[in-house]
């Protein structure tokens, strides 16, 4: 087979594999070392908002993710965020694709990383917890993204806000035995 055709077939195969990976949910199993364990992830978000009159508001929110890995490797999540205006919490069963507020959401394992995402009305957030080789310790990194313009999301008070920026800080991650949601 001529050189150019081998590369075309190889390139087509890689594209097909990439499209296939995006088109189907990730079925990567949780690492066995995390079965019957709770992963606690926390961070703060500093938000710069513009009100209707062009004035800037500065808001800080506390964010928490509690993920339980069952004895079958299934992921149960409690997600919450709070600020001085209130608190919002949602419990997500395995394979949940929307949170209580209607936002697209999901969590999955990829090797030694637990990846979570939430799509806002405009923009999105991703957090990645990376585990040490024994899966007894972890670190987390949080990123926000947007195509252009501001990030739009409902606040804990239910009002849609236009956020000029969202910055995470104080990220922490820990692993402990047991089910935090009861037996």
């Amino acid at each position: 087979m001529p050189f150019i055709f081998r590369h075309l077939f190889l390139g087509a195969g890689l594209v097909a594999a990439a499209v296939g990976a995006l088109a189907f949910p990730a079925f990567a199993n949780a690492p066995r070392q995390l079965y019957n364990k709770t992963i606690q992830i926390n961070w703060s978000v500093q938000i710069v908002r513009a009100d209707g009159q062009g004035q800037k508001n500065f808001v800080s929110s506390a964010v928490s993710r509690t993920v339980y890995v069952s004895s079958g490797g299934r992921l149960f999540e409690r997600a919450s965020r709070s600020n001085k205006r209130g608190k919002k919490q949602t419990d997500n069963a395995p394979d949940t694709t929307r949170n209580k507020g209607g936002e697209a959401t999901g969590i999955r394992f990829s090797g030694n990383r637990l990846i979570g995402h939430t799509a806002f009305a405009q923009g999105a957030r991703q957090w990645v917890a990376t585990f040490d080789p024994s899966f007894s310790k972890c670190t987390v990194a949080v990123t926000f993204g947007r195509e252009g313009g501001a990030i739009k999301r409902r606040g804990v008070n239910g009002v849609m806000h236009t956020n000029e920026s969202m910055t995470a800080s104080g990220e922490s991650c820990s692993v402990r035995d047991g089910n935090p949601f009861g037996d």
Side-chain angles (χ1 to χ4, degrees):
M1 183 179 294
F3 177 77
I4 188 79
F5 289 116
R6 280 190 302 230
H7 283 287
L8 285 175
F9 284 118
L10 177 62
L14 292 174
V15 169
V19 169
L22 293 173
F24 299 101
F27 291 107
N29 292 329
R32 285 216 172 263
Q33 298 94 318
L34 290 174
Y35 282 23
N36 296 310
K37 304 262 183 182
T38 296
I39 304 155
Q40 184 63 53
I41 300 167
N42 300 299
W43 67 86
S44 294
V45 179
Q46 290 66 48
I47 303 166
V48 178
R49 290 188 179 141
D51 66 13
Q53 291 76 38
Q55 298 294 317
K56 291 188 186 204
N57 274 325
F58 299 92
V59 178
S60 182
S61 291
V63 179
S64 173
R65 293 284 184 275
T66 304
V67 178
Y68 172 64
V69 182
S70 74
S71 60
R74 295 169 34 108
L75 305 178
F76 295 83
E77 177 190 37
R78 174 166 290 152
S80 67
R81 58 189 166 117
S82 62
N83 61 32
K84 64 182 179 180
R85 293 186 176 167
K87 180 177 182 176
K88 199 170 224 178
Q89 179 175 295
T90 184
D91 290 337
N92 299 319
D95 302 322
T96 294
T97 59
R98 296 234 173 244
N99 63 22
K100 195 161 90 176
E103 298 169 321
T105 190
I107 56 175
R108 66 180 174 83
F109 272 96
S110 177
N112 72 329
R113 298 179 309 146
L114 176 60
I115 302 167
H117 69 273
T118 304
F120 306 144
Q122 183 173 312
R125 174 191 59 229
Q126 177 177 281
W127 54 265
V128 178
T130 304
F131 296 87
D132 70 345
S134 68
F135 289 90
S136 62
K137 296 179 183 171
C138 54
T139 59
V140 66
V142 180
T143 55
F144 296 90
R146 59 182 175 220
E147 281 189 54
I151 295 173
K152 292 185 181 180
R153 185 180 196 196
R154 291 201 184 282
V156 295
N157 59 359
V159 174
M160 183 66 71
H161 294 284
T162 300
N163 303 314
E164 290 183 4
S165 70
M166 297 177 80
T167 306
S169 65
E171 297 95 329
S172 68
C173 184
S174 62
V175 180
R176 67 181 185 270
D177 290 331
N179 180 352
F181 307 127
D183 295 322

